[in-house]
Amino acid sequence: MRSTYTEKLEQLSTGLAEMCGLAEDAMDQATEALLQADLPLAEHVLATRPRFDELAARCEEQAFALLALQAPVAGDLRQIVSGIQIVADLKRMGALAAHIAKVAARNHPEHALPEEVGGHVAEMGRIAVALADAAREVLVTHDPQRAGHLQAEDDAMDDLHHHLLTVLMDREWRHGVGAAVDVALLGRFYERFADHAVQVARRVVFLATGEMPDQVVDHELL
């Protein structure tokens, strides 16, 4: 019985990592579609949503079945409850990548981004993909130290988001209200994607240690 239970916990972890990998790929492709005004690629991102939703439903079913049938305690209970919460974060990450793809598709064949903000958005996309990749890694390893390092990349994303809004507020902005709205929304999509990736990492820290990240002492600093 215990071996079957452990196997089901591993299946849940594998499913979460697969979901995170899909979100990472979707963000990478959505950013490329946005920067290149690539309609087929944007449509490809949108077409992956059923697979993402299928994985999310399967992970949730696995987690609830473990709760209902196994009465887990201690670390196992943390893993299952954290898994349910992580599914919600990953679903949101997938949805945010899809929102970016929709902006690219809606503006096709034109580019959604004015030239002066293209570099900023490209860097936000790079950071978002790197955070998703790191989140996927910690979902596999349950390494609280690695999970704790995601905050620095998220700070860089916040700085880029703030700078992007500064560009939009500049009097020299000459691309109209529609473009400004799109850029503002895109900045928010990237910023929230990063926040959810960091939240996944925070939940892994709790899963591994029983403490939220701000309660964890980094013994390497002592």
Side-chain angles (χ1 to χ4, degrees):
M1 287 293 292
R2 181 64 192 179
S3 62
T4 300
Y5 179 51
T6 301
E7 181 181 336
K8 290 184 180 297
L9 283 174
E10 290 175 352
Q11 289 174 352
L12 176 59
S13 293
T14 299
L16 294 173
E18 187 176 351
M19 276 187 73
C20 196
L22 283 178
E24 176 187 348
D25 290 344
M27 175 55 77
D28 188 30
Q29 293 165 359
T31 299
E32 182 69 13
L34 182 68
L35 295 173
Q36 302 300 326
D38 188 330
L39 180 60
L41 189 56
E43 291 176 338
H44 172 74
V45 173
L46 298 174
T48 64
R49 292 297 298 157
R51 172 60 179 157
F52 199 89
D53 293 339
E54 175 189 333
L55 267 176
R58 190 177 74 193
C59 288
E60 287 176 335
E61 289 172 5
Q62 290 172 337
F64 286 125
L66 286 166
L67 277 178
L69 301 176
Q70 302 294 339
V73 296
D76 290 346
L77 180 60
R78 287 202 308 270
Q79 182 171 351
I80 295 167
V81 172
S82 296
I84 294 169
Q85 295 171 322
I86 287 168
V87 168
D89 286 310
L90 295 175
K91 285 170 69 174
R92 190 62 188 143
M93 288 167 67
L96 289 162
H99 289 336
I100 292 169
K102 286 178 182 177
V103 173
R106 186 176 69 246
N107 284 276
H108 182 81
E110 302 298 326
H111 285 260
L113 297 173
E115 185 176 348
E116 59 260 47
V117 299
H120 297 94
V121 173
E123 181 63 8
M124 293 176 85
R126 185 198 67 77
I127 293 174
V129 171
L131 282 167
D133 185 61
R136 181 188 54 78
E137 178 186 338
V138 299
L139 282 168
V140 172
T141 64
H142 293 181
D143 182 352
Q145 294 291 336
R146 179 70 181 96
H149 293 159
L150 270 69
Q151 186 61 53
E153 283 287 281
D154 186 46
D155 290 343
M157 177 70 85
D158 290 340
D159 289 343
L160 281 166
H161 185 221
H162 177 74
H163 183 75
L164 193 64
L165 294 178
T166 300
V167 172
L168 294 179
M169 297 293 290
D170 194 297
R171 290 183 177 181
E172 295 186 6
W173 178 262
R174 52 185 174 79
H175 303 286
V177 174
V181 170
D182 273 347
V183 172
L185 285 173
L186 288 164
R188 182 62 171 166
F189 296 154
Y190 283 106
E191 188 260 343
R192 290 303 295 150
F193 184 98
D195 286 346
H196 282 288
V198 171
Q199 188 64 16
V200 168
R202 285 171 55 84
R203 298 193 196 283
V204 171
V205 172
F206 174 72
L207 183 161
T209 67
E211 299 175 313
M212 291 305 289
D214 55 2
Q215 297 174 295
V216 174
V217 177
D218 188 347
H219 297 287
E220 292 181 359
L221 300 180
L222 297 180

